[in-house]
Amino acid sequence: MLWPWPLSTRHKRLFRLTSARWQRRAIFLLGGIGVGAAAVALAQLADLAQHAFTLLLARSRYAVLTVTPLGFMLSAYMTLRLFPNAQGSGIPQAIAARQLTDQAARESLVSIRIAIGKMILTLFGLLCGGSVGREGPTVQVGASIMFALGRVSPRRQPGLILAGAAAGVAAAFNTPLAGIVFGIEEMSRAFETRTSSLIIAAVIAAGLTSLALAGNYAYFGSSAMTLSRGADWLAVPACGVVGGLAGGLFSRVVIAMARGFKSPLGRAIKGHPLWFAFACGLAVAICGLVSGDTIYGTGYVQVKEALDHGTPLPQDFGVLKLLATSFAAISGIPGGIFSPSLAVGAGIGSNIAAFFHDAPLGAIMLLGMVSYFAGVVQAPITAFVIVTEMTDNHGMVVPLMAAALIAHFVSRMICEEGIYHALAKGFVERATRPREGEGR
């Protein structure tokens, strides 16, 4: 039936605005559901990949001397040839994509093709024993899904990429608050009033999808440990300083390697990236053998068992996990640093706990986790929120906040900028350099 009276110009304009608004909301909600499903799929497949690698170790622990370096070399080759810009964590690419305005440049960093390659090669890295995580890759996958859905509205794509990244963190860790805080503090470095409600909607959609598929859980289980005595609080500055120093050093090394050196060694690395990846994989394998096969993969199992049973991690776990994660991060293979960083921090906290005999071990491990992570990413609010949500321990909020802030300030003395934003600048420069040359 035809409309009984003609619409006025004002009503037509109102109809178009309302339709566009609901279309935008639908994109954020559908994107959130897609990101949540992708995050759960990647998490479950990552567990299978690590289990398969464990079976390999059970047959021959020395097999890593060939499997890991060759796996790193093959992963680097596939990244360079088939999925360029899929290397590393994926968070710098999402940050860079928000800063770019050219559609082709954005698509080179976040696209469905990149998302598929990111998932496949992250899983392959875990299958080979790489000290990598799946959470950073989930951020790039989430941003890619949102970017693909938002192609009909290019003006909204920075907000969509932000929402996809935030939803990725929320679904990967089952930490909705951390996802929102990560989007504000790390991805955008500002609170965007116009898109804040839509970002929250995307996080909710991703979180509900994750809950429906994987159930409700705290990433590291529930923990009620707190710092009970006054002397225990000395662990806060101790973890903050040590974690900040280690995190800042890690970031500085990774950033320097990404930017390259003008020395003969730097030129050799740049000219032979596959052999460099092989060497990094061999270094990871050696670290794994020295550690007693504890530093491969995300480090989640080792940390959770230590927290659940109140047992310290091996004394060399933190150092060897830091080295293995560093080699994986500079090798050029896809894989995140989120979970490995938390594992390194837990190892640091376990070492520091040896000086506080009567303090709860788990509480100091949490301080080490938040301190090292804050030192790496230089996002202290995200650090203490995510550790609080992952352990369901609200009694440690204040000491975690204090340790994160101390680590943040100490880290900035060594590395001027957080690792994600520093690496994002490189992607922006590479994406814009050819177009600048064409204009000359």
Side-chain angles (χ1 to χ4, degrees):
M1 186 180 74
L2 296 176
W3 195 254
W5 61 85
L7 292 173
S8 66
T9 303
R10 177 174 173 273
H11 283 98
K12 289 180 181 178
R13 188 183 302 114
L14 180 62
F15 177 79
R16 285 195 298 269
L17 289 173
T18 303
S19 177
R21 187 178 296 117
W22 280 104
Q23 182 186 53
R24 188 165 65 249
R25 290 171 179 171
I27 289 173
F28 275 83
L29 289 173
L30 289 173
I33 293 172
V35 174
V40 172
L42 184 56
Q44 294 180 350
L45 290 172
D47 290 341
L48 291 175
Q50 291 184 95
H51 179 67
F53 181 75
T54 302
L55 295 178
L56 173 67
L57 291 177
R59 293 179 66 88
S60 172
R61 63 188 301 257
Y62 292 100
V64 295
L65 292 173
T66 55
V67 170
T68 303
L70 288 175
F72 271 45
M73 177 182 270
L74 180 57
S75 180
Y77 174 80
M78 290 191 290
T79 302
L80 291 170
R81 298 296 182 186
L82 302 177
F83 305 105
N85 292 326
Q87 70 269 29
S89 164
I91 295 176
Q93 290 93 314
I95 294 172
R98 292 195 72 243
Q99 298 173 2
L100 295 168
T101 56
D102 182 79
Q103 282 293 90
R106 277 180 178 164
E107 192 169 6
S108 69
L109 297 174
V110 287
S111 67
I112 295 300
R113 177 184 174 84
I114 292 289
I116 293 171
K118 191 75 171 189
M119 293 181 71
I120 292 172
L121 294 179
T122 298
L123 294 172
F124 186 70
L126 291 169
L127 191 63
C128 298
S131 180
V132 297
R134 58 175 172 80
E135 293 77 21
T138 305
V139 169
Q140 190 176 13
V141 170
S144 298
I145 291 172
M146 283 292 197
F147 175 82
L149 287 173
R151 292 183 68 85
V152 295
S153 179
R155 289 192 306 109
R156 297 289 178 183
Q157 281 175 353
L160 284 163
I161 292 170
L162 173 60
V169 170
F173 283 117
N174 190 33
T175 51
L177 287 178
I180 295 169
V181 172
F182 172 81
I184 295 171
E185 183 184 31
E186 185 62 14
M187 284 295 299
S188 67
R189 295 284 171 93
F191 184 79
E192 301 181 9
T193 306
R194 289 184 300 174
T195 58
S196 60
S197 61
L198 295 177
I199 292 168
I200 293 172
V203 168
I204 291 172
L208 290 175
T209 304
S210 176
L211 288 174
L213 295 175
N216 191 18
Y217 64 96
Y219 190 78
F220 282 120
S222 297
S223 169
M225 294 166 288
T226 59
L227 301 177
S228 54
R229 302 183 311 143
D232 296 348
W233 281 75
L234 294 175
V236 173
C239 288
V241 170
V242 177
L245 287 171
L249 181 62
F250 170 83
S251 295
R252 184 157 185 172
V253 168
V254 174
I255 293 167
M257 291 298 295
R259 291 174 177 170
F261 304 101
K262 294 182 179 179
S263 64
L265 177 61
R267 289 192 292 271
I269 292 172
K270 186 176 181 179
H272 303 86
L274 301 185
W275 286 111
F276 180 68
F278 181 93
C280 289
L282 182 60
V284 171
I286 294 171
C287 288
L289 291 173
V290 173
S291 72
D293 304 332
T294 61
I295 56 85
Y296 301 116
T298 63
Y300 167 79
V301 173
Q302 291 80 6
V303 175
K304 191 173 188 310
E305 287 182 354
L307 290 172
D308 287 345
H309 300 104
T311 55
L313 291 162
Q315 288 186 346
D316 58 1
F317 177 84
V319 173
L320 291 173
K321 186 66 175 174
L322 172 57
L323 289 173
T325 306
S326 300
F327 287 121
I330 66 177
S331 68
I333 70 169
I337 60 173
F338 242 103
S339 287
S341 293
L342 294 172
V344 172
I348 291 173
S350 182
N351 291 340
I352 292 175
F355 298 96
F356 298 87
H357 302 288
D358 297 325
L361 171 65
I364 300 183
M365 286 177 62
L366 296 186
L367 291 174
M369 292 163 67
V370 77
S371 298
Y372 180 76
F373 186 69
V376 170
V377 302
Q378 294 187 8
I381 302 176
T382 298
F384 78 75
V385 169
I386 202 167
V387 172
T388 300
E389 278 196 285
M390 286 166 55
T391 57
D392 194 25
N393 188 338
H394 299 281
M396 284 288 292
V397 169
V398 173
L400 289 175
M401 289 173 62
L405 286 174
I406 293 170
H408 171 67
F409 289 125
V410 172
S411 175
R412 287 184 66 87
M413 297 178 186
I414 300 173
C415 188
E416 295 181 355
E417 192 171 13
I419 188 170
Y420 294 139
H421 280 267
L423 294 177
K425 290 180 179 178
F427 286 104
V428 171
E429 290 173 1
R430 286 192 290 272
T432 56
R433 191 180 300 133
R435 287 165 180 77
E436 291 173 356
E438 292 169 7
R440 292 193 180 102

